[in-house]
Amino acid sequence: MGKIIYGSEVSAELREELRFEVEELKQEGKRIPKLAVILAGDNPASLSYVRGKAKACEAAGILEETFHLAGSVSQEELENLIHRCNEDPVIDGILLQLPLPAGLDENHAIEQISPEKDVDGLHPLN
């Protein structure tokens, strides 16, 4: 017979384990992981999702920085920010919040994220 698994309980356990691991890093004087969240525009659902990610990072002790770009941002400006995040050694993960505003090429932007820093696993190599 199968076992019912409650996702909220599993995720709470994983977050607690992560918080403990991050606390150990702090105690050892090691660098704390950091997530960069890139948000373009003011989509209400995206804003809510990003706020939730920031709270989750805070609860786990992970550093988080949201880069909130105007909805009128150009493809070049967006991709320049992605490249800066890729090159920043204190940023361990990048989350590009989708959907992007009209006129921006999501697939091309996703391809600019380093596969090693792609937390959503959307890069073609992931």
Side-chain angles (χ1 to χ4, degrees):
M1 187 161 152
K3 178 182 177 183
I4 296 175
I5 298 173
Y6 295 96
S8 59
E9 292 175 8
V10 173
S11 66
E13 289 174 16
L14 290 172
R15 278 193 298 270
E16 183 60 23
E17 288 176 22
L18 181 58
R19 187 191 64 73
F20 180 75
E21 290 177 20
V22 171
E23 189 58 39
E24 283 184 332
L25 290 173
K26 288 180 186 177
Q27 296 295 326
E28 295 170 3
K30 295 182 180 175
R31 188 176 64 76
I32 305 305
K34 182 176 181 179
L35 174 67
V37 178
I38 301 173
L39 171 65
D42 292 313
N43 177 304
S46 292
L47 290 165
S48 177
Y49 184 80
V50 166
R51 279 192 299 271
K53 289 299 168 195
K55 287 180 184 177
C57 285
E58 182 180 353
I62 295 173
L63 302 174
E64 181 272 342
E65 183 173 0
T66 298
F67 297 90
H68 191 166
L69 306 171
S72 61
V73 66
S74 70
Q75 187 80 27
E76 181 180 13
E77 291 169 316
L78 173 63
E79 292 180 7
N80 284 341
L81 174 58
I82 293 170
H83 290 286
R84 286 196 312 271
C85 291
N86 282 336
E87 295 169 4
D88 188 335
V90 302
I91 292 176
D92 300 288
I94 300 170
L95 186 153
L96 176 61
Q97 180 60 40
L98 303 177
L100 293 176
L104 295 176
D105 184 338
E106 291 180 356
N107 290 327
H108 195 264
I110 289 166
E111 290 172 359
Q112 304 312 302
I113 300 171
S114 169
E116 296 81 16
K117 293 189 177 190
D118 175 21
V119 298
D120 283 328
L122 297 176
H123 190 281
L125 292 178
N126 292 333

